[in-house]
Amino acid sequence: MIEFLSLKDVNAAYADELKAACARVIDSGWYIQGKELEQFEADFAAGCGAEFCFGVANGLDALTLTLRAWKILGKLSVGDEVIVPANTYIASILAVTENGLIPVLVEPDESLNISPTLIKAAIGPKTRAIIPVHLYGQLADMPAIMSIAKDHGLLVLEDSAQAHGASIGGKIAGSWGDASGFSFYPGKNLGALGDAGAITTNDPELARVVKALRNYGSHEKYKNIYQGVNSRLDEIQAAMLSVKLKYLSEDIQSRRVIAELYMTGIKNDLIQLPLNKSVSPLSLESHVWHLFVVRSEKRDQLQKHLAGFGIQTLIHYPIPPHKQQAYKDWNEMSFPITEAIHDQVLSLPIGPTMSLDDAKTVIRACNSFNGNG
């Protein structure tokens, strides 16, 4: 069987270092907000080209706490509008509604990332921020988005959960916007061995607030400035991430090799390949191929066909946020591009430990698909 992604194999490559890092934390006797976290935050900030990094419990908290900090700083107020992709994972939107803000859903362009043209059209008198999501590992059109934000005085919070290491013109995800939220969920390109996340920013005022918010609203023990939460990246996960951060560029390159094989090898009119906005060759900087997502009007039959070859695939994501029960008041809204995407997308296996032979098997199976399951 060709697994979609074997986390066991991924982490086996660093097993000795991971175990040594874990033992180091255990032996230290210090498990929350210690030297391991400080080191990872410094290294990750440097890697992103950001001045500040704060580890939090998960990627959703990274987004939620950043928006909350902007409310504390008076940059956002309850009822303000935040532009968000319509075809994102629901976490991007949960962070907005959790803060009493109003999501304004915007359709994607051909890259499946949010359309700058439609962002501009969606800006109204109550718009205060944009959350571009770097979907599947490809940066949104950040030069255009930042230009729009500057012209309209809007905050930009990057959702970089799927884009560790992606860049445009040498400027890396996590350093484009006013802040960025990252997830280190185990399946991400930089994945912890549990839930984990981080916020990056170059704004010292924002940094001061989010640092306190993640720790009960406190900068100093037993002195609480804000009504904060407990959202701290623990020492063991920070140590695990420090090990894996050293190999991130190497792992991304392995993904790019597989992606290039797919892009050049899959030739089937029933399968639409992802649009890579990078100029050839395919391994350029803007895409780190967290997911390799194809589209087919016969998606379910294609998934069944590939399963017949022992190939595991996943659907990211089957139901768009505006059709979820959690947002039932939106269920009658229409976003035809988003709805078509969610009906058609299928993620093929890709990962740093995937063999070229397995990738070629996937290609042959895709090319043999004739529309039947």
Side-chain angles (χ1 to χ4, degrees):
M1 178 179 177
I2 298 175
E3 290 185 72
F4 179 76
L5 177 67
S6 172
L7 293 179
K8 183 178 180 180
D9 289 347
V10 168
N11 291 315
Y14 329 113
D16 290 343
E17 290 183 76
L18 292 172
K19 291 172 183 176
C22 187
R24 185 174 66 245
V25 175
I26 293 170
D27 291 344
S28 75
W30 193 289
Y31 308 124
I32 298 289
Q33 290 194 303
K35 293 180 180 178
E36 298 289 347
L37 178 61
E38 289 178 5
Q39 187 63 58
F40 173 71
E41 289 174 336
D43 291 345
F44 191 72
C48 290
E51 186 173 352
F52 304 101
C53 171
F54 299 100
V56 294
N58 53 68
L60 174 56
D61 282 2
L63 299 175
T64 303
L65 292 179
T66 301
L67 294 172
R68 186 170 176 179
W70 279 334
K71 286 171 63 183
I72 289 171
L73 291 167
K75 296 183 178 183
L76 291 175
S77 300
V78 170
D80 285 345
E81 294 179 351
V82 179
I83 292 175
V84 193
N87 63 313
T88 186
Y89 182 57
I90 198 169
S92 311
I93 294 169
L94 289 171
V96 177
T97 55
E98 174 67 17
N99 279 287
L101 305 168
I102 301 172
V104 176
L105 305 184
V106 168
E107 295 261 53
D109 60 22
E110 289 179 307
S111 72
L112 305 190
N113 276 326
I114 191 168
S115 164
T117 301
L118 296 180
I119 287 175
K120 193 179 297 186
I123 294 171
K126 298 182 72 175
T127 306
R128 296 292 180 270
I130 307 168
I131 301 180
V133 180
H134 306 317
L135 201 61
Y136 308 146
Q138 180 166 236
L139 281 182
D141 188 347
M142 292 308 296
I145 291 169
M146 294 308 297
S147 177
I148 293 167
K150 183 178 179 181
D151 289 346
H152 294 271
L154 304 178
L155 296 164
V156 176
L157 171 55
E158 295 175 78
D159 184 336
S160 301
Q162 300 185 10
H164 316 83
S167 62
I168 296 176
K171 193 172 178 66
I172 301 174
S175 63
W176 279 95
D178 298 284
S180 181
F182 286 88
S183 167
F184 304 120
Y185 183 78
K188 304 297 186 187
N189 286 22
L190 179 61
L193 275 71
D195 270 323
I199 298 163
T200 59
T201 185
N202 289 315
D203 181 351
E205 190 176 36
L206 177 64
R208 175 180 57 81
V209 178
V210 296
K211 184 178 183 180
L213 281 179
R214 69 169 178 181
N215 186 41
Y216 300 98
S218 173
H219 283 295
E220 183 180 345
K221 195 169 186 178
Y222 302 129
K223 293 184 179 180
N224 304 83
I225 308 170
Y226 314 113
Q227 295 176 28
V229 300
N230 177 9
S231 181
R232 301 174 298 200
L233 177 60
D234 66 67
E235 287 288 279
I236 285 182
Q237 294 302 340
M240 302 294 102
L241 288 165
S242 288
V243 169
K244 298 179 74 173
L245 181 60
K246 296 185 296 183
Y247 301 100
L248 179 59
S249 294
E250 180 182 322
D251 288 351
I252 288 170
Q253 186 55 34
S254 296
R255 289 174 176 271
R256 285 172 169 162
V257 169
I258 301 298
E260 186 166 3
L261 281 176
Y262 284 164
M263 291 290 281
T264 56
I266 296 174
K267 297 176 181 178
N268 188 325
D269 291 341
L270 297 174
I271 300 173
Q272 181 180 338
L273 294 170
L275 175 67
N276 178 12
K277 297 186 81 171
S278 301
V279 178
S280 187
L282 300 174
S283 59
L284 288 185
E285 58 180 11
S286 74
H287 210 320
V288 294
W289 300 103
H290 169 58
L291 298 171
F292 191 95
V293 180
V294 299
R295 294 175 65 182
S296 177
E297 292 182 1
K298 296 180 178 291
R299 188 264 309 282
D300 295 344
Q301 295 95 317
L302 175 59
Q303 186 172 42
K304 185 177 178 181
H305 172 80
L306 295 176
F309 286 83
I311 298 167
Q312 184 183 32
T313 58
L314 296 178
I315 299 172
H316 297 90
Y317 305 96
I319 305 172
H322 71 282
K323 295 296 185 183
Q324 297 283 359
Q325 178 66 19
Y327 292 110
K328 59 184 178 181
D329 291 345
W330 302 352
N331 288 174
E332 299 306 314
M333 297 173 71
S334 176
F335 294 93
I337 299 173
T338 290
E339 288 158 23
I341 288 169
H342 285 256
D343 285 341
Q344 296 172 2
V345 290
L346 187 67
S347 300
L348 302 183
I350 192 167
T353 61
M354 186 177 187
S355 72
L356 300 186
D357 284 344
D358 281 352
K360 291 173 183 176
T361 298
V362 174
I363 291 168
R364 287 193 296 270
C366 285
N367 288 342
S368 69
F369 177 60
N370 63 7
N372 298 314

